[in-house]
Amino acid sequence: MKKRFFALSSLVLAAGLAFSAQASDADNTIIGAAAASEGTAVPSLAPVAERASQSVVTISVSGKKTVKSSIPEQFRFFGFDDMFPGLQPEQRETPFQALGSGIIIDAEKGYIITNFHVVDGADSIKVTTKDGTEYTAKKIGTDKQSDFAIVQIKSDKKLTAIPFADSDKVRVGDFVLAIGNPFGLGQTVTHGIVSALGRSGLNIENFENFIQTDAAINSGNSGGALVNLKGELVGMNTAIIAPSGGNVGIGFSIPSNMLKDLTGQIVKFGEVHRGFLGIMGGELSPDIAKAFDYESKKGAFVNQVMKGSAAEEAGIKAGDIITSINGMKINSFGELRAKIATMGPGKTIKLGIVRDGKEQTVSVVLKEDDGKSGSAAAASDSIDLIKGAGLRETDNGIEVVSVAKGSAAEKMGIKKGDLITGVNRKSVKTMKELHEILDKAERGTVALRIQRGNVTLFIW
């Protein structure tokens, strides 16, 4: 499978053609608890690796993909594409083969989880277990948006399923092992630590909430296991930052709790039924946090609550800052979005929020996503949000009577008919009050409270 490169950050999905790279030298400070429990004299991670590796498999796929062959560059140079404007690129099917990894999660039913991009387009899926036995697998279900898939094998031999860890309890600095099939060398174990949690905004997947690790992950590791020192599954290795195409110590894994939720959805329905909160919002900048009397830089800013949504029924309002899910702190709007989407409808969750500088907890029963999930709005570094907007005072607020095309107001999403009712947490009723607040506000710290029909939202 081709490695997928991303501009600027050079993000690469960890599935791919099969070549290898080994781990860095072992850190002398690594805890030998696993080995010590076995009574060995020398600290070692071997007992953990031996247990966990029984649940990790190699996945090889083959199939055909439709590709477009464009006009050769030398002919373009001579103007052939201009001479024949109706000439269409040729479409043809090209065979492909690829290697990746997978994790046995149900020994009796033979369920194996892996990445969507490992089995995407595959006509044939072969699974090889640790003992070298090869099986033909079938797809049970996939979810492209979270890069997740389940395949199934039937085996007369006893399979070993991996136990799941609670990824919400994982901490930065925890030791982890990455097990997979890098570059097709065969099963390989590398070690490292958890480098960061709740990584999002990488544009690898639609729903991102990654565990970052410096354990060596390379092409072919996609779908492999990230385990703790108890041999429990912490995450599924998915992508790396690879400016040179190889491991540089920045890898990303889908958390085990997210994997568990996705598995439950696919096994039950054959597809993922997404949970739906019903908000639109964005990442919490330091300036917006300051303007809303919130000291932390972590959380998700709510700029709109949809009518009839789970969020509205729970009493969430525009201007709230969501800080936690079920008591676990969240880092970003992206993390919130990914967790909600994979939980499934009907679940009751507790959201920690900050409103007017005060913390509170609300109970929310998630609804099912109808495809209208809120996305993050763009933020502005300018206080001139109203430039280009024609305004007039009314009894209910400051009405937007016109918006100039291409103006700052239009780019920020202000629309004709909007009522400006406040700035940050302060209400405004007159043009004088509005301009006074804008004149005194620091650059980048302004969020306008807008009444649009029956909907209240913030624009910043």
Side-chain angles (χ1 to χ4, degrees):
M1 180 176 293
K2 292 183 179 178
K3 290 184 279 186
R4 290 205 260 174
F5 291 87
F6 295 80
L8 300 179
S9 60
S10 300
L11 286 162
V12 181
L13 291 175
L17 298 173
F19 310 162
S20 177
Q22 294 293 331
S24 57
D25 293 338
D27 188 328
N28 291 330
T29 65
I30 285 182
I31 299 172
S37 66
E38 303 284 333
T40 57
V42 180
S44 173
L45 296 174
V48 178
E50 288 169 1
R51 287 195 299 270
S53 63
Q54 300 300 316
S55 304
V56 181
V57 302
T58 295
I59 296 179
S60 57
V61 301
S62 61
K64 291 183 179 180
K65 288 189 175 181
T66 301
V67 297
K68 293 182 180 180
S69 57
S70 58
I71 301 172
E73 195 63 33
Q74 61 267 32
F75 292 113
R76 288 189 179 278
F77 180 76
F78 287 107
F80 271 55
D81 50 347
D82 294 328
M83 294 169 61
F84 304 100
L87 185 63
Q88 297 295 321
E90 178 187 0
Q91 292 190 357
R92 56 190 176 87
E93 285 192 333
T94 301
F96 75 90
Q97 292 182 326
L99 292 173
S101 306
I103 310 162
I104 301 172
I105 60 166
D106 190 319
E108 292 185 4
K109 296 182 179 178
Y111 288 150
I112 296 168
I113 59 174
T114 186
N115 286 125
F116 171 84
H117 72 263
V118 172
V119 296
D120 181 26
D123 297 323
S124 172
I125 304 173
K126 300 291 184 181
V127 169
T128 304
T129 53
K130 177 72 180 295
D131 64 6
T133 305
E134 185 177 89
Y135 302 88
T136 298
K138 67 174 182 179
K139 289 183 187 178
I140 298 299
T142 62
D143 183 47
K144 182 178 181 180
Q145 289 182 294
S146 55
D147 201 358
F148 179 81
I150 301 178
V151 301
Q152 183 180 34
I153 61 174
K154 292 185 178 180
S155 173
D156 294 331
K157 297 182 178 180
K158 185 178 180 180
L159 301 174
T160 302
I162 198 164
F164 277 67
D166 182 351
S167 56
D168 283 338
K169 295 181 180 179
V170 172
R171 299 178 301 170
V172 172
D174 284 352
F175 286 110
V176 286
L177 303 182
I179 308 174
N181 178 36
F183 298 118
L185 282 180
Q187 196 173 91
T188 301
V189 180
T190 58
H191 84 277
I193 63 169
V194 172
S195 306
L197 298 168
R199 288 293 194 215
S200 62
L202 304 174
N203 298 318
I204 304 172
E205 302 168 5
N206 198 336
F207 300 106
E208 298 182 345
N209 173 30
F210 292 116
I211 295 172
Q212 182 181 323
T213 180
D214 66 350
I217 298 174
N218 290 281
S219 289
N221 273 111
S222 273
L226 189 71
V227 302
N228 60 22
L229 293 190
K230 294 181 179 179
E232 298 169 331
L233 186 67
V234 169
M236 182 167 70
N237 302 322
T238 298
I240 57 175
I241 286 182
S244 60
N247 170 65
V248 295
I250 304 177
F252 302 99
S253 302
I254 301 172
S256 58
N257 288 357
M258 190 169 169
L259 297 172
K260 189 181 295 184
D261 288 334
L262 290 166
T263 297
Q265 292 286 316
I266 289 179
V267 169
K268 184 176 181 178
F269 303 111
E271 61 183 1
V272 175
H273 289 192
R274 304 198 185 284
F276 182 63
L277 182 57
I279 65 170
M280 295 186 70
E283 305 302 347
L284 185 65
S285 70
D287 289 333
I288 291 297
K290 179 180 178 181
F292 280 79
D293 198 20
Y294 179 58
E295 294 182 356
S296 175
K297 299 177 183 178
K298 296 181 179 181
F301 183 76
V302 179
N303 78 325
Q304 182 178 349
V305 177
M306 299 179 183
K307 283 291 180 183
S309 67
E312 184 187 50
E313 292 177 1
I316 295 174
K317 298 180 180 180
D320 286 348
I321 299 169
I322 299 177
T323 60
S324 66
I325 301 178
N326 293 331
M328 304 302 299
K329 295 293 184 181
I330 60 169
N331 293 297
S332 64
F333 186 83
E335 181 180 351
L336 170 71
R337 184 170 178 265
K339 286 186 173 182
I340 294 297
T342 54
M343 282 181 174
K347 287 195 175 182
T348 300
I349 61 172
K350 300 286 186 181
L351 293 181
I353 66 172
V354 172
R355 180 181 299 162
D356 296 329
K358 298 178 181 180
E359 296 182 4
Q360 56 183 284
T361 301
V362 296
S363 181
V364 184
V365 180
L366 297 179
K367 296 190 176 183
E368 184 164 356
D369 187 4
D370 59 0
K372 299 178 181 178
S373 298
S375 58
S380 172
D381 289 330
S382 172
I383 65 171
D384 295 325
L385 299 180
I386 59 173
K387 185 174 288 186
L391 306 174
R392 71 177 179 188
E393 293 181 10
T394 71
D395 293 337
N396 298 319
I398 300 169
E399 182 183 1
V400 178
V401 295
S402 65
V403 179
K405 190 172 183 180
S407 66
E410 183 189 53
K411 292 177 181 177
M412 289 310 302
I414 296 175
K415 296 181 179 181
K416 181 180 178 180
D418 286 350
L419 279 176
I420 301 174
T421 60
V423 180
N424 298 336
R425 295 185 295 124
K426 296 181 179 179
S427 295
V428 295
K429 295 182 179 180
T430 67
M431 294 288 291
K432 181 180 179 182
E433 290 176 343
L434 175 63
H435 283 290
E436 284 179 350
I437 294 174
L438 292 180
D439 287 341
K440 293 178 181 178
E442 296 179 17
R443 179 171 292 272
T445 64
V446 172
L448 296 181
R449 186 170 71 233
I450 300 289
Q451 189 70 33
R452 183 174 293 165
N454 294 323
V455 176
T456 300
L457 60 136
F458 279 87
I459 294 178
W460 75 97

